[in-house]
Amino acid sequence: MDLGNSLSYLNPELIKKIQAEANLKELPRHTEILREGQFIKVIPIVLEGLIKVFTRYEDRELLLYYIQPDESCIMSFSAGIKNEPSTVYAITEEDTVALLLPVDKVAEWMVQYPGINTLFFQQYKQRYSELLDTIHHVLFNRMDKRLYKHLKTKTIVRNQNPLKISHQQVADELGTVREVISRVMKKLEKEGLVIQDSDGIKII
């Protein structure tokens, strides 16, 4: 298992242990890797691809954050270390290669090699900031601003423009209904901010 530069900031001895204990796994697009109520056995570090983390209430979903290369899932880390069930869902947005670290080993390494805490503390700070941003947009921004920001973010994390995505998928990620997204999308088109055609949704 060649981790390249992904974990180069860690103690070389710890990297060797990770190589021996962790599992490198290829996960096809749209693979569910975590669901609400599930107990965490492994903590992922994404090496390639993209994972979407979201919450769900009844038939509504709300995107919380994306896990990009060299990032981990702080919600998995928190639940796994405390041996608590997950409160979120996670699905691969693209074909993904992830390093799966056994929770029991991570708990040991945190004591033996404090440097590994850097990864997760950085993630806490980043995700907290993103969640505050999400709350701000939900509470204070009109749907057109929320939608446009969401689409712009998606083009960046997926490195794709136009986006191959349906109005229903967007609605699910923003915790609303398809009809609302379709109506607001038309408004954004009239304002010259997006173009919709057979290639998908292009952000201007």
Side-chain angles (χ1 to χ4, degrees):
M1 184 191 307
D2 183 9
L3 300 182
N5 296 322
S6 298
L7 303 177
S8 59
Y9 58 89
L10 296 179
N11 184 303
E13 185 178 337
L14 173 57
I15 292 178
K16 289 181 180 179
K17 290 192 175 185
I18 290 175
Q19 290 175 323
E21 299 287 350
N23 180 27
L24 190 66
K25 191 158 186 177
E26 296 183 3
L27 302 163
R29 183 185 180 195
H30 295 160
T31 299
E32 182 183 74
I33 60 175
L34 182 62
R35 63 184 181 277
E36 185 178 10
Q38 176 181 341
F39 281 87
I40 312 297
K41 300 300 181 184
V42 294
I43 299 170
I45 296 178
V46 173
L47 301 183
E48 299 175 13
L50 190 67
I51 294 176
K52 177 175 70 174
V53 179
F54 60 96
T55 186
R56 180 181 291 157
Y57 179 73
E58 295 180 347
D59 61 341
R60 297 287 185 88
E61 296 178 1
L62 180 63
L63 174 69
L64 297 178
Y65 54 83
Y66 291 105
I67 309 174
Q68 301 180 65
D70 298 336
E71 295 181 350
S72 184
C73 179
I74 198 60
M75 300 295 282
S76 297
F77 170 76
S78 177
I81 292 300
K82 292 187 288 186
N83 193 32
E84 296 177 348
S86 170
T87 58
V88 298
Y89 296 83
I91 293 177
T92 53
E93 180 95 347
E94 301 173 355
D95 292 343
T96 298
V97 178
L99 190 64
L100 306 181
L101 284 60
V103 168
D104 56 343
K105 293 298 181 182
V106 171
E108 292 179 15
W109 296 336
M110 288 174 65
V111 176
Q112 298 171 359
Y113 306 96
I116 196 173
N117 294 321
T118 301
L119 169 66
F120 298 110
F121 289 155
Q122 287 176 341
Q123 296 292 300
Y124 265 119
K125 182 179 179 181
Q126 180 179 342
R127 302 312 179 200
Y128 180 70
S129 176
E130 290 172 350
L131 287 174
L132 285 181
D133 190 50
T134 297
I135 292 170
H136 176 88
H137 283 284
V138 168
L139 292 179
F140 303 114
N141 282 352
R142 301 192 312 268
M143 179 55 74
D144 56 345
K145 289 186 178 181
R146 285 185 61 202
L147 175 56
Y148 186 66
K149 180 180 183 297
H150 178 71
L151 293 174
K152 284 185 67 175
T153 299
K154 211 167 183 65
T155 62
I156 294 170
V157 298
R158 291 177 61 171
N159 191 27
Q160 182 186 91
N161 192 16
L163 291 167
K164 290 286 188 180
I165 188 170
S166 69
H167 287 189
Q168 184 61 60
Q169 288 175 281
V170 176
D172 290 342
E173 293 175 349
L174 291 179
T176 185
V177 295
R178 182 185 57 78
E179 291 78 8
V180 170
I181 295 300
S182 297
R183 184 174 67 250
V184 177
M185 198 73 77
K186 289 180 180 177
K187 180 177 184 293
L188 294 179
E189 267 194 307
K190 289 180 180 179
E191 294 174 352
L193 297 175
V194 303
I195 295 174
Q196 298 182 91
D197 55 31
S198 57
D199 292 327
I201 301 171
K202 184 174 182 179
I203 310 304
I204 307 303

